[in-house]
């Protein structure tokens, strides 16, 4: 309960600070939602992001009976009270009986694994302005591919969402299902020219801190430019890098530390006005 109260105090402060956000700031994309403050890949973790105007990344898998669900691992034991089973081996009804929050904190006991549709409905209902939702495709069958595209269309989220981590063949099928469905991919510096020549990607999820000229080049080619800085630890919690990619003009950054990063940017703004 104390953790939940502390989170609420942080959020109230960030809501206030967000009123002074510069329009040129990259959109922060919280890795698996606000995973350091709520159970990862759950509606509470996503709701916090939406209330603060922060995007988020989520992971998509499929149940035994074909429901698209949001969970990172194939196995259930790390983030639910389920047995050592695969999400692929249980039905949606069985998944809904699992507790996906109590492992994180008793305040979240009873939180459920969300379906992708529940998540997209939440986004449609609560997002504030422009956002970026990164759909990490972990496991889909052909029927699930169509369902994914249909759901993004149903909630009119083509401009906000993109899919990544799927193989090239699936990317092609998703695009054929609807040309408006956006395809992303992690891209290193050495492969930029190749990816541009292929002209398959709508979203370049850069795995290195880019220079402004690199970002400008990709934008001129009509690509959305993001920086993938997800993961825990000091190597991914570097204010110097946060400020560097902000200056480079990327449109979004995937991170585990979205609240801390926003505070660093606000302090930099305040210092520049003195």
């Amino acid at each position: 309960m104390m953790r939940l109260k502390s989170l609420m105090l942080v959020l109230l402060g960030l809501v206030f600070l967000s009123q002074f956000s510069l329009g040129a700031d990259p959109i922060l994309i919280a890795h698996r939602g606000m995973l350091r403050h709520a159970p990862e890949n759950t509606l509470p973790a996503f709701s916090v992001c939406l209330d603060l105007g922060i995007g988020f990344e989520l992971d998509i898998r499929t149940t035994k009976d074909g429901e698209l669900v949001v969970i990172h691992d194939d196995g259930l034991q790390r983030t639910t009270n389920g047995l050592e089973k695969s999400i692929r081996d249980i039905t949606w009804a069985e998944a809904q009986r699992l507790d996906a929050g109590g492992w994180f904190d008793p305040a979240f006991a009873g939180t459920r694994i969300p379906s992708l549709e529940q998540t997209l409905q939440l986004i449609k209902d609560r997002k504030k302005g422009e956002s970026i939702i990164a759909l990490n495709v972990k496991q889909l069958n052909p029927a699930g591919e169509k369902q994914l595209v249909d759901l993004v269309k149903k909630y009119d989220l083509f401009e906000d969402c993109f899919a990544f981590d799927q193989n090239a063949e699936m990317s092609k099928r998703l695009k054929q299902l609807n040309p408006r469905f956006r395809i992303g991919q992690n891209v290193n510096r050495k492969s930029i020219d190749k990816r541009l020549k292929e002209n398959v990607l709508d979203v370049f999820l850069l795995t290195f801190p880019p220079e402004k000229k690199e970002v400008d080049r990709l934008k001129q080619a009509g690509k959305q430019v993001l920086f993938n800085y997800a993961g825990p630890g000091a190597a991914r919690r570097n204010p110097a890098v946060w400020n560097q990619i902000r200056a480079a003009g990327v449109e979004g950054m995937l991170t585990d530390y979205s609240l801390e990063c926003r505070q660093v940017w606000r302090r930099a703004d305040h210092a520049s006005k003195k």
Side-chain angles (χ1 to χ4, degrees):
M1 186 60 69
M2 287 301 295
R3 179 181 292 191
L4 188 58
K5 288 180 179 178
S6 297
L7 173 59
M8 293 308 298
L9 289 173
V10 171
L11 297 184
L12 286 171
L14 266 293
V15 168
F16 175 77
L17 287 170
S18 69
Q19 307 307 310
F20 300 95
S21 176
L22 293 179
D25 278 358
I27 293 175
L28 293 165
I29 307 165
H31 185 213
R32 304 181 202 168
M34 206 66 70
L35 57 62
R36 298 179 58 244
H37 305 280
E40 66 175 63
N41 275 319
T42 63
L43 296 185
F46 301 149
S47 296
V48 170
C49 297
L50 294 165
D51 289 345
L52 291 174
I54 291 173
F56 55 87
E57 179 261 3
L58 59 83
D59 302 285
I60 303 172
R61 294 187 180 275
T62 310
T63 63
K64 183 178 180 179
D65 54 347
E67 185 74 32
L68 302 190
V69 293
V70 179
I71 186 171
H72 180 271
D73 299 1
D74 178 71
L76 300 170
Q77 58 269 33
R78 182 176 68 86
T79 58
T80 78
N81 63 344
L83 301 175
E84 294 187 6
K85 286 186 175 182
S86 164
I87 187 69
R88 292 171 291 156
D89 294 331
I90 66 171
T91 65
W92 169 237
E94 290 170 328
Q96 283 293 277
R97 292 196 286 270
L98 298 176
D99 182 345
W103 67 272
F104 182 86
D105 190 277
F108 294 100
T111 300
R112 302 304 176 197
I113 297 172
S115 69
L116 179 62
E117 180 156 19
Q118 288 172 337
T119 304
L120 296 183
Q121 178 72 69
L122 179 75
I123 296 166
K124 186 66 175 177
D125 291 344
R126 295 181 67 160
K127 81 181 185 80
K128 300 176 179 179
E130 183 182 3
S131 188
I132 298 175
I133 308 298
L135 307 173
N136 191 329
V137 177
K138 295 294 188 186
Q139 175 254 321
L140 283 181
N141 55 33
E145 294 170 11
K146 184 177 186 306
Q147 187 180 355
L148 170 60
V149 175
D150 287 347
L151 284 172
V152 173
K153 179 180 179 180
K154 177 179 178 179
Y155 292 99
D156 191 24
L157 291 170
F158 284 119
E159 299 302 317
D160 302 276
C161 295
F162 73 93
F164 74 107
D165 256 8
Q166 67 280 347
N167 60 38
E169 291 73 21
M170 185 184 292
S171 291
K172 183 181 293 186
R173 292 193 298 269
L174 292 170
K175 202 70 168 177
Q176 288 172 341
L177 285 166
N178 194 313
R180 294 183 63 199
F181 190 87
R182 299 194 305 141
I183 302 299
Q185 185 177 327
N186 285 302
V187 179
N188 61 34
R189 181 171 268 135
K190 291 181 179 180
S191 62
I192 286 179
D193 288 342
K194 182 179 180 180
R195 298 285 90 85
L196 281 173
K197 186 176 181 179
E198 292 170 346
N199 198 29
V200 171
L201 301 181
D202 304 291
V203 182
F204 277 60
L205 192 55
L206 302 179
T207 58
F208 61 94
E211 298 177 6
K212 189 175 187 304
K213 63 182 180 180
E214 293 171 311
V215 174
D216 290 344
R217 179 189 177 202
L218 291 171
K219 287 182 178 180
Q220 288 166 6
K223 309 303 181 181
Q224 185 174 46
V225 188
L226 312 178
F227 174 47
N228 189 346
Y229 207 37
R236 302 287 176 163
R237 198 179 188 178
N238 188 334
V241 174
W242 293 341
N243 287 328
Q244 175 187 340
I245 66 99
R246 186 192 197 197
V250 301
E251 294 161 87
M253 181 179 73
L254 180 57
T255 176
D256 287 25
Y257 301 101
S258 49
L259 299 182
E260 292 90 335
C261 178
R262 182 177 278 181
Q263 288 175 321
V264 165
W265 288 345
R266 298 290 74 75
R267 285 196 293 267
D269 290 342
H270 182 71
S272 69
K273 294 174 182 176
K274 287 185 176 180

